[in-house]
Amino acid sequence: MSQPLALDIPHSLGKAGVRARLDGGVGKLGEKIPGGATVQHRWEGDTMHFTVAAMGQQVACTAIVFDKHVRAVVDLPGMLSLLAGPIKAAIESQAPKLLK
């Protein structure tokens, strides 16, 4: 089993603003994946748990909302862990755009 990807994404929106952006943006993840994907999410306090399922793979993720940053944790299954570097780079590049 691979080590989960973890990264902090800064923001200045406040917790309510981040929650609204995440609620509005998480469903659009499926559009970014070739062939499409199914995205499901739920909130537990300030933590959003979500899964992205595509091409026979399911990726479990959490986004923990803090006052000044979001802690994103992505648990990549087997073969996708080989792409951890490019996946982390894509998250680092795209996630801040959602929180601006």
Side-chain angles (χ1 to χ4, degrees):
M1 180 175 241
S2 66
Q3 186 79 357
L5 295 177
L7 57 146
D8 291 329
I9 305 150
H11 71 82
S12 59
L13 299 171
K15 287 184 178 183
V18 169
R19 285 181 64 120
R21 294 278 177 93
L22 290 176
D23 275 335
V26 72
K28 296 176 183 174
L29 285 174
E31 299 168 5
K32 304 281 186 197
I33 297 171
T38 302
V39 180
Q40 296 178 337
H41 77 284
R42 64 182 166 78
W43 284 95
E44 286 182 7
D46 289 330
T47 301
M48 182 176 70
H49 299 273
F50 62 105
T51 57
V52 180
M55 298 179 270
Q57 299 289 315
Q58 184 166 322
V59 179
C61 311
T62 58
I64 306 163
V65 180
F66 294 95
D67 290 330
K68 299 289 181 188
H69 72 280
V70 174
R71 177 78 169 170
V73 180
V74 180
D75 191 15
L76 295 171
M79 293 300 287
L80 285 179
S81 66
L82 298 173
L83 300 171
I87 290 171
K88 184 175 182 180
I91 294 168
E92 289 173 330
S93 157
Q94 297 301 310
K97 294 176 185 176
L98 178 63
L99 300 180
K100 286 188 178 182

